[in-house]
Amino acid sequence: MKIGVLGTGDVGRRLASRLSGLGHEVTLGSRTADNPVAAAWAREHQGHHETFAGAATHGELVVNATGGLVALAALKAAGTANLDGKIVVDVSNPLDFSQGFPPRLVVPAAGSVAEQLQQAFPRTRIVKTLNTMHNTLMTDPAQVPGPHNVFVCGDDQAARAQVADLLKSFGWADRQILDLGGLAAARCVEPLVLLWISLSGTLRTSDFNFAILR
Amino acid sequence: MKIGVLGTGDVGRRLASRLSGLGHEVTLGSRTADNPVAAAWAREHQGHHETFAGAATHGELVVNATGGLVALAALKAAGTANLDGKIVVDVSNPLDFSQGFPPRLVVPAAGSVAEQLQQAFPRTRIVKTLNTMHNTLMTDPAQVPGPHNVFVCGDDQAARAQVADLLKSFGWADRQILDLGGLAAARCVEPLVLLWISLSGTLRTSDFNFAILR
């Protein structure tokens, strides 16, 4: 399918490359049409690069891989009409690095970035997922052995199911995908990034993931 | 050893009972000296019951099993001098149920309840642990199979080691105990309670735990 990926950082390029490799027609979106990183990615991956609005227009499904603190602005730049009715897969985390490391978690009044986006774009179907792990693991879950998990939440059940299918195409097994239900659960998973950062220091690796054992 | 457990709710009584069963001399502390729940517990478990101050005085080690929103008040009632130099094992979560379910997480200005307590009682050694699971699992980790984890953090390394020994006496294996280092990590583990609550609804059980797989 046609997919727009907003954000040209490590996460955006990782997801765009994987999606492109799976046969999707991917447009990488950035604030400006002439972003050299996006242009280089498009050349290397036979993809396209565009503004946020161009990528959103192109995509039948859109991935928000911009930072959580700028996600609302990025989606506004993408344009309400261009996102109308579409699924936006939100993988962002609202981290403020302005006071150094470790960053602080910024909790929007809506409870989470995902809920903030949903409020601002009521006709778009926001699905939160993949924000609780390193970007290399997002698209290659076998990198960590065992029954670790990826969380999915969103108010539209059909959208959650479609995103789960996308995750399966990345290699996630059915039993690894934990459907948390409505988007309010995003306020439970976004803070996990703080523990992830702490653990990456303690364990001295980014090759780990959260699991729910029972 | 002599242990004071502050808080007579499910968590406090669970921990007090387990500690008593392991041969420790336990005093269950509450706001008032004549708390009938504490008195019943003491009769049943050959333990003692006292005010917060009495339990803190009695304990060579103190467990804070009061709610996170009243923990500071409980420790103030326990008394600075009575906690001087002692380890306080903080298992609390700052949940506000006043607006119904699900509760909201209240993040103190210090970053976490544990850090708030440490700032207020600088000569006490606060160790955060066990707040990320159901109380039955705290003292019986085998209830959930597999390599699930308990997190430990605190600014005093010797105190963390002593608390890890206490966890081992509950049945936690060495490799299950994840030492996150300094107490600032408490701000990473306290928010986990929100995800725990969400998961307990999704999974329809409280017999699960977080694990870090790598």
Side-chain angles (χ1 to χ4, degrees):
Chain A
M1 70 188 302
K2 291 179 178 173
I3 298 181
V5 176
L6 312 183
T8 59
D10 288 347
V11 177
R13 284 181 286 117
R14 176 79 56 185
L15 291 167
S17 300
R18 183 73 161 121
L19 290 164
S20 181
L22 288 166
H24 298 289
E25 190 184 331
V26 178
T27 301
L28 193 58
S30 61
R31 269 182 295 182
T32 56
D34 59 353
N35 181 316
V37 173
W41 178 88
R43 273 193 306 277
E44 194 185 339
H45 295 272
Q46 289 81 52
H48 315 288
H49 71 101
E50 261 285 4
T51 60
F52 287 142
T57 302
H58 167 272
E60 301 163 275
L61 178 148
V62 174
V63 176
N64 172 43
T66 68
L69 300 188
V70 299
L72 184 60
L75 261 66
K76 281 182 176 167
T80 301
N82 302 328
L83 297 170
D84 213 21
K86 295 178 182 175
I87 292 174
V88 169
V89 182
D90 175 34
V91 305
S92 73
N93 280 311
L95 292 174
D96 174 8
F97 287 88
S98 68
Q99 289 166 64
F101 194 88
R104 294 183 66 89
L105 186 77
V106 179
V107 180
S112 62
V113 173
E115 290 165 283
Q116 181 188 47
L117 298 178
Q118 188 63 78
Q119 283 181 11
F121 300 90
R123 290 192 305 280
T124 297
R125 296 175 290 160
I126 308 287
V127 177
K128 188 94 199 182
T129 192
L130 288 173
N131 66 302
T132 55
M133 66 194 73
H134 193 253
N135 70 75
T136 54
L137 192 62
M138 293 178 183
T139 58
D140 182 18
Q143 214 170 59
V144 169
H148 56 91
N149 294 111
V150 58
F151 304 103
V152 178
C153 62
D155 289 336
D156 185 301
Q157 191 171 0
R160 296 202 305 272
Q162 195 173 332
V163 171
D165 283 341
L166 207 60
L167 293 173
K168 286 176 208 167
S169 75
F170 289 172
W172 290 93
D174 217 10
R175 68 192 176 105
Q176 290 182 284
I177 302 171
L178 251 171
D179 187 331
L180 295 175
L183 199 62
R187 65 183 69 176
C188 309
V189 290
E190 288 184 6
L192 268 184
V193 68
L194 291 182
L195 180 57
W196 192 94
I197 291 168
S198 174
L199 285 164
S200 70
T202 305
L203 305 175
R204 294 165 197 261
T205 179
S206 55
D207 290 341
F208 66 89
N209 196 17
F210 298 107
I212 308 303
L213 301 190
R214 44 179 162 152
Chain B
M1 69 189 302
K2 293 180 180 173
I3 298 180
V5 175
L6 312 183
T8 60
D10 288 347
V11 177
R13 283 180 287 117
R14 176 79 56 185
L15 290 167
S17 300
R18 182 73 162 120
L19 290 164
S20 181
L22 287 166
H24 299 289
E25 190 184 332
V26 177
T27 301
L28 194 57
S30 59
R31 270 180 296 181
T32 56
D34 58 353
N35 181 317
V37 173
W41 178 88
R43 272 195 307 278
E44 193 184 341
H45 294 272
Q46 289 81 51
H48 315 287
H49 71 102
E50 261 284 5
T51 60
F52 287 143
T57 302
H58 167 270
E60 301 163 274
L61 177 146
V62 175
V63 176
N64 172 43
T66 68
L69 300 188
V70 299
L72 183 60
L75 262 67
K76 281 182 176 167
T80 301
N82 301 330
L83 297 169
D84 213 21
K86 295 179 183 175
I87 293 173
V88 169
V89 182
D90 175 34
V91 306
S92 72
N93 280 311
L95 292 175
D96 174 9
F97 287 87
S98 68
Q99 289 167 63
F101 193 88
R104 296 181 64 89
L105 187 76
V106 179
V107 179
S112 61
V113 173
E115 291 165 281
Q116 180 189 49
L117 298 178
Q118 187 63 79
Q119 283 180 11
F121 300 89
R123 290 192 307 279
T124 297
R125 295 175 292 160
I126 309 287
V127 177
K128 187 95 200 181
T129 192
L130 288 173
N131 66 301
T132 55
M133 67 194 73
H134 194 254
N135 70 73
T136 55
L137 192 62
M138 294 179 182
T139 57
D140 182 17
Q143 214 171 57
V144 170
H148 56 91
N149 295 111
V150 59
F151 303 103
V152 179
C153 62
D155 289 337
D156 186 300
Q157 191 170 1
R160 295 202 305 272
Q162 195 175 333
V163 172
D165 284 340
L166 207 58
L167 293 173
K168 285 177 210 167
S169 75
F170 288 172
W172 290 93
D174 217 8
R175 68 192 177 106
Q176 290 183 282
I177 302 171
L178 251 171
D179 186 333
L180 296 175
L183 199 62
R187 64 184 69 177
C188 308
V189 291
E190 288 184 7
L192 268 184
V193 68
L194 290 183
L195 181 56
W196 191 94
I197 291 167
S198 173
L199 284 164
S200 69
T202 305
L203 305 175
R204 294 165 198 261
T205 178
S206 54
D207 290 342
F208 66 90
N209 195 16
F210 298 107
I212 309 301
L213 301 188
R214 45 179 160 153

